[in-house]
């Protein structure tokens, strides 16, 4: 599992700050070259202390008259925060703090005593936002200056956690025989219905940005790849303006032959369980950084509670009944809105599946259920959602693999099968039963990091108001 990272020296540095911070005792007395952003500088006259930060940690640098030149010392004392510097010096153990008798002695810490000091770039002042401040900063200012926002410890930790979630998800699926694929993002026909497409010109032909890898992941499984997954962008021209919708998002998709809806729900819950367990085993340092910031904002700390298996399954029919029993008016066949999800979440606050939606409400590629109808006689489907609390994380289902029914499904949705020949042809020469799902990565991260807005978990979000940076 999580292997030790190998930090080879680069042209600019011999060691990372994290290496010295964590492995300082072996390095005491050795000369190192380090680089970093200068977070703070203290001291006048003959000395200066600088706090440096790189992508691996933080370290104090000590500069002293006589050990560095006078211009170097003066430059260090007057340097603006967030400037980048390179330091050559010797690793030393810091003088331990005085502790009262009987108090535990803290572990040793290290610093670099500079022999030479170079400014790589000087940061302009004032900074558009404070990197070490804990004052709350508006989301728009943060997103406009994401390059600086990311330098804040808890924001960096959130994106480290995001990278880990993708890593653990990948490694889990690979352990179940899935292979990673990449499908085209420039497409000629819609997969999730005809609306919400971003049109574009592909040379002289009208085309669209892909809403989902749906049709291509299916074609790959029809091609015999058996189990595939993709982590890639999906584009939706939806006019939503909510905390959980973006116009570009990363969709984590799987598709697998010889599986039905129940089977792929199993894959999903095992994968999420593995992700949470791996974060609990390896990444609590990042969670603590996030919690340290949350404390300054008066927010409750986040905990990593590994969800137990299996996740609850509340069929669409049972969900409707539950909502009706609570006194809300909802008809069988209606969509389950967020306010309805709140009712379900009272009983099932964590991850829970809602399987067996009416066929009418699911896309044309979803498989129907034989011989079982809904409350008012409608056809049920093998489509499901995964929710966490009030938010949908995933949609998925078993796919229709009988080409005649598939073409009828297209017609039922008002779509012309002739526009889908590249897809339906894939079913004419032997088609395995298959199933899959698509998971919104940012929404899963919201759950893990206790974020209230999906934009917190996306580096450069694209919404109706924002297309830069
Ligand atoms: P669906 O359209 O439900 O299903 O999308 C799957 C998941 O993607 C996320 N998602 C979004 N996240 C942020 N902003 C949006 N605008 C947005 N739209 C969707 C959600 C959602 O659950 N092809 C099917 C999947 C499948 O059946 O395999 C599909 O795309 O978390």
């Amino acid at each position: 599992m999580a292997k030790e990272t190998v930090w080879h020296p680069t042209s600019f540095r011999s060691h990372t700050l994290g290496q010295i911070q964590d492995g300082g005792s072996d390095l005491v007395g050795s000369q190192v070259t380090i680089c970093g952003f200068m977070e703070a500088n203290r001291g006048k006259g003959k000395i200066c202390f600088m706090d440096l930060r790189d992508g691996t940690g933080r370290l104090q640098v000590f500069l002293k008259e006589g050990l560095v030149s006078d211009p170097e010392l003066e430059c260090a004392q007057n340097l603006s925060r967030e400037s980048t510097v390179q330091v050559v010096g010797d690793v030393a153990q810091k003088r331990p703090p005085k502790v009262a008798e009987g108090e535990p002695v803290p572990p040793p810490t290290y610093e670099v005593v500079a022999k030479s000091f170079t400014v790589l770039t000087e940061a302009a002042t004032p900074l558009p936002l404070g990197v070490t401040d804990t004052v709350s900063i508006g989301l728009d200012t943060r997103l406009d200056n994401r390059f600086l926002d990311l330098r804040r410890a808890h924001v960096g930790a959130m994106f480290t956690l995001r990278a880990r979630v993708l890593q653990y998800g990948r490694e889990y699926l690979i352990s179940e025989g899935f292979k990673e694929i990449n499908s085209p993002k420039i497409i000629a026909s819609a997969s999730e219905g005809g609306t919400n497409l971003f049109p574009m010109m592909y040379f002289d032909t009208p085309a669209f940005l892909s809403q989902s890898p749906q049709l291509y992941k299916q074609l790959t499984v029809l091609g015999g790849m058996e189990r595939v997954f993709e982590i890639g962008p999906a584009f939706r021209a939806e006019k939503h303006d909510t905390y959980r919708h973006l116009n570009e998002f990363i969709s984590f998709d799987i598709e697998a032959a010889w599986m039905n809806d129940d089977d792929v729900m199993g894959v999903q819950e095992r994968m999420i369980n593995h992700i949470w367990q791996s974060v609990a085993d390896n990444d609590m340092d990042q969670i603590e950084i996030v919690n340290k910031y949350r404390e300054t904002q008066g927010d409750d700390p986040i905990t990593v509670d590994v969800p137990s298996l299996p996740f609850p399954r509340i069929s669409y029919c049972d969900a409707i009944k539950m909502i009706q029993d609570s006194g809300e008016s909802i008809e069988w066949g209606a969509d389950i809105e967020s306010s309805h999800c709140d009712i379900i979440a009272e009983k099932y606050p964590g991850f829970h599946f809602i399987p067996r939606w009416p066929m009418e409400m699911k896309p044309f590629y979803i498989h129907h259920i034989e011989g079982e109808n809904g409350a008012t006689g409608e056809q049920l489907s093998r489509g499901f959602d995964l929710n966490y609390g009030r938010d949908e994380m995933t949609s998925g289902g078993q796919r229709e693999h009988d080409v005649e029914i598939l073409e009828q499904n297209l017609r039922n949705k008002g779509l012309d099968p002739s526009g889908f020949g590249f897809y339906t042809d894939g079913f004419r020469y032997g088609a395995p039963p298959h199933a899959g799902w698509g998971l919104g990565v940012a929404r899963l991260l919201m759950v893990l990091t206790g974020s209230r807005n999906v934009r917190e978990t996306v580096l450069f979000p694209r919404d109706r108001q924002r297309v830069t940076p």
Side-chain angles (χ1 to χ4, degrees):
M1 254 290 319
K3 277 202 201 138
E4 284 284 303
T5 305
V6 182
W7 294 101
H8 292 287
T10 73
S11 312
F12 294 93
R13 67 180 182 195
S14 65
H15 292 79
T16 68
L17 302 186
Q19 277 176 303
I20 300 170
Q21 210 177 38
D22 302 335
S25 61
D26 293 342
L27 290 168
V28 168
S30 322
Q31 178 174 301
V32 293
T33 305
I34 55 176
C35 289
F37 297 94
M38 194 206 70
E39 254 186 19
N41 45 357
R42 299 173 294 279
K44 280 199 246 137
K46 298 181 175 180
I47 57 166
C48 176
F49 295 98
M50 286 194 325
D51 295 336
L52 287 200
R53 181 191 72 244
D54 70 8
T56 67
R58 286 176 167 71
L59 199 74
Q60 178 172 284
V61 172
F62 177 49
L63 299 99
K64 193 175 168 196
E65 192 183 64
L67 295 180
V68 291
S69 71
D70 290 350
E72 283 175 315
L73 185 60
E74 199 187 326
C75 173
Q77 286 165 338
N78 295 311
L79 194 60
S80 53
R81 287 179 172 213
E82 296 302 312
S83 296
T84 51
V85 302
Q86 184 184 46
V87 180
V88 179
D90 293 336
V91 178
Q93 187 170 330
K94 269 164 91 175
R95 195 179 305 154
K98 287 205 177 79
V99 289
E101 222 180 286
E103 288 283 310
V105 181
T109 54
Y110 305 95
E111 65 184 355
V112 166
V113 180
K115 289 177 175 164
S116 79
F117 165 75
T118 313
V119 176
L120 300 173
T121 63
E122 202 168 332
T125 54
L127 297 170
L129 56 85
V131 170
T132 51
D133 299 349
T134 53
V135 289
S136 169
I137 304 163
L139 188 58
D140 273 326
T141 306
R142 291 180 47 204
L143 293 177
D144 286 343
N145 300 283
R146 195 54 136 176
F147 57 92
L148 271 181
D149 184 47
L150 258 178
R151 295 186 198 173
R152 302 163 78 207
H154 70 286
V155 182
M158 299 261 289
F159 285 97
T160 299
L161 286 167
R162 185 184 162 107
R164 297 286 152 78
V165 163
L166 296 180
Q167 177 189 335
Y168 302 140
R170 258 197 188 96
E171 75 188 9
Y172 184 75
L173 290 177
I174 291 168
S175 81
E176 286 209 8
F178 285 81
K179 293 175 190 149
E180 186 158 6
I181 59 163
N182 303 105
S183 64
K185 302 303 159 205
I186 300 174
I187 54 157
S189 51
S191 62
E192 306 301 313
T195 55
N196 300 333
L197 284 162
F198 282 113
M200 58 167 288
M201 283 308 289
Y202 189 65
F203 302 106
D204 297 330
T205 312
F208 306 100
L209 292 178
S210 165
Q211 294 170 301
S212 155
Q214 183 64 38
L215 307 186
Y216 294 94
K217 61 180 181 169
Q218 284 189 259
L219 283 175
T220 312
V221 166
L222 292 171
M225 282 248 332
E226 185 105 4
R227 295 181 179 188
V228 298
F229 74 96
E230 174 165 5
I231 304 174
F235 305 90
R236 307 245 172 128
E238 294 166 341
K239 295 214 165 129
H240 290 301
D241 216 343
T242 77
Y243 70 92
R244 61 178 176 184
H245 286 96
L246 293 174
N247 296 107
E248 176 183 337
F249 64 93
I250 298 297
S251 188
F252 194 145
D253 280 78
I254 73 156
E255 202 64 29
W258 326 115
M259 287 202 195
N260 72 3
D261 43 343
D262 289 321
D263 299 322
V264 290
M265 281 191 268
V267 175
Q268 171 121 104
E269 62 192 356
R270 291 192 294 276
M271 181 182 95
I272 291 178
N273 174 275
H274 174 80
I275 292 173
W276 254 246
Q277 186 63 60
S278 304
V279 170
D281 291 345
N282 307 311
D283 304 305
M284 289 312 287
D285 53 340
Q286 303 300 319
I287 299 282
E288 273 162 33
I289 295 171
V290 174
N291 279 340
K292 220 162 141 189
Y293 179 77
R294 289 175 73 90
E295 200 180 336
T296 67
Q297 305 302 301
D299 290 332
D300 290 338
I302 46 172
T303 54
V304 183
D305 303 319
V306 181
S308 51
L309 298 179
F311 296 172
R313 283 144 169 83
I314 307 110
S315 72
Y316 173 85
C317 293
D318 289 347
I320 293 293
K321 190 157 182 313
M322 223 167 136
I323 298 161
Q324 287 170 340
D325 288 350
S326 79
E328 284 279 316
S329 77
I330 185 170
E331 294 296 317
W332 204 91
D335 201 2
I336 299 178
E337 310 284 351
S338 293
S339 60
H340 302 133
C341 291
D342 287 337
I343 297 164
I344 302 169
E346 274 174 34
K347 189 155 176 213
Y348 301 101
F351 290 106
H352 56 275
F353 287 109
I354 304 186
R356 305 188 160 225
W357 286 65
M359 195 60 197
E360 178 90 348
M361 302 178 69
K362 285 288 165 188
F364 65 83
Y365 49 78
I366 291 287
H367 203 290
H368 61 283
I369 296 182
E370 296 286 359
E372 196 183 314
N373 291 332
T376 49
E378 287 90 342
Q379 178 104 69
L380 289 176
S381 78
R382 292 197 171 276
F384 66 85
D385 284 356
L386 174 76
N387 284 15
Y388 184 97
R390 68 172 354 222
D391 296 322
E392 179 193 311
M393 302 284 120
T394 302
S395 292
Q398 185 182 335
R399 321 306 188 184
E400 184 54 69
H401 59 281
D402 179 317
V403 72
E404 277 168 28
I405 302 175
L406 192 55
E407 287 180 333
Q408 188 53 49
N409 285 352
L410 279 163
R411 281 191 287 272
N412 291 348
K413 298 278 178 198
L415 298 165
D416 180 0
S418 66
F420 288 84
F422 76 94
Y423 168 70
T424 49
D425 281 352
F427 294 77
R428 293 188 203 285
Y429 308 97
H434 59 286
W437 42 251
L439 162 71
V441 170
R443 292 193 186 173
L444 191 67
L445 260 296
M446 273 179 83
V447 174
L448 181 70
T449 61
S451 302
R452 286 188 281 261
N453 192 321
V454 80
R455 290 159 185 78
E456 299 269 1
T457 69
V458 175
L459 276 177
F460 300 103
R462 294 287 175 257
D463 61 26
R464 284 176 69 198
Q465 272 75 45
R466 188 173 279 284
V467 73
T468 52

